[in-house]
Amino acid sequence: MFVAIPPREKPALRWAMPLVFVLLWGAFVAASLLPDDAHRRLLADWGALTGGLRSWPETLQALRDGRLARLATAMFLHADWTHLIGNLLFLLIFGAPAERAMGPWRFLALFLAGGMVANLAAVLAIGAPDRLVIGASGAVSALIGAYLVLFPGARLGLVLPLGLFLQFVKMPAAVLIGVWAGLQLVFTFVGPAFGAVAWSAHLAGFAFGGVFGLLARRGIARRLRRRRGF
């Protein structure tokens, strides 16, 4: 008896998340080497500014003169090392499994579109004009939202200080992400660094990522079946 064995695809090289990591890191290092005046001018020229895009004529004008592209370029600018490292850490935690499941092109689409939607939400939500919106926090939040949809039963490791010792425990990802999302909602109105952190961008990115995951889940399932030879 002969049994047909379906061919299995070789594991694809995962390049999208490392590419984003290197671009974020490289952009920050290059910007930090500039003189102070040039650095401030770079942030002002390529970061997203609040106070516009509140009507269709303003949006169309921003599209014509290229200002709308700032919603994308702002993702690759960061205020300081702590801002950058926080985003890179979350990118590593949630980006690697997300790319492994959805593939590099869906990953890039999620990261870029989620970041632009999040920055747009911050631009519209912050009432004061000419406030600078920068950073990849919204894009990373989109990865978190998609992760929750794609891996609802996953568990994440957590290091807890217990007296003089550190205890490593695993908790349901849904619980940790739910606490994180709740804090973003509270901080939007009364949180620390109110006015300096675009909490609304985090919420918008998270919501976008969840919707993206729901819409792409069937296609991702087909992709995983093909990889396993079914």
Side-chain angles (χ1 to χ4, degrees):
M1 181 186 298
F2 296 94
V3 179
I5 300 176
R8 293 175 179 265
E9 292 185 4
K10 293 182 179 180
L13 178 66
R14 290 187 286 275
W15 53 267
M17 192 278 290
L19 175 63
V20 170
F21 187 101
V22 169
L23 288 176
L24 293 174
W25 183 275
F28 179 81
V29 171
S32 65
L33 295 176
L34 295 173
D36 289 343
D37 290 343
H39 184 242
R40 285 193 293 268
R41 189 161 57 250
L42 173 72
L43 297 182
D45 289 344
W46 296 99
L49 293 176
T50 63
L53 308 180
R54 294 185 178 275
S55 66
W56 278 113
E58 288 180 340
T59 303
L60 292 175
Q61 180 59 35
L63 181 62
R64 283 193 291 267
D65 61 25
R67 283 185 294 121
L68 207 60
R70 291 182 175 206
L71 297 176
T73 57
M75 286 185 281
F76 298 92
L77 303 173
H78 288 82
D80 51 39
W81 282 106
T82 57
H83 189 198
L84 172 70
I85 291 173
N87 283 335
L88 292 181
L89 178 61
F90 277 83
L91 174 65
L92 288 173
I93 294 172
F94 297 101
E99 182 184 359
R100 187 164 56 246
M102 66 178 60
W105 296 111
R106 281 195 183 94
F107 174 88
L108 287 178
L110 170 62
F111 186 88
L112 295 174
M116 293 181 69
V117 168
N119 287 340
L120 176 60
V123 166
L124 297 177
I126 298 174
D130 297 327
R131 289 283 187 90
L132 195 62
V133 177
I134 57 174
S137 303
V140 171
S141 298
L143 294 178
I144 296 174
Y147 181 94
L148 180 60
V149 170
L150 297 175
F151 309 103
R155 300 175 72 85
L156 294 175
L158 190 66
V159 178
L160 297 177
L162 299 176
L164 299 177
F165 302 96
L166 296 177
Q167 181 67 41
F168 181 82
V169 298
K170 282 193 171 184
M171 296 185 63
V175 172
L176 294 177
I177 293 175
V179 171
W180 173 85
L183 290 175
Q184 308 309 302
L185 181 60
V186 172
F187 291 166
T188 298
F189 303 100
V190 294
F194 179 68
V197 178
W199 302 107
S200 55
H202 301 177
L203 284 176
F206 178 71
F208 180 89
V211 172
F212 185 97
L214 288 172
L215 295 177
R217 190 160 52 180
R218 183 173 297 180
I220 292 171
R222 286 197 300 269
R223 178 180 181 275
L224 293 177
R225 286 196 297 271
R226 286 198 303 269
R227 283 180 55 189
R228 293 165 184 162
F230 298 107

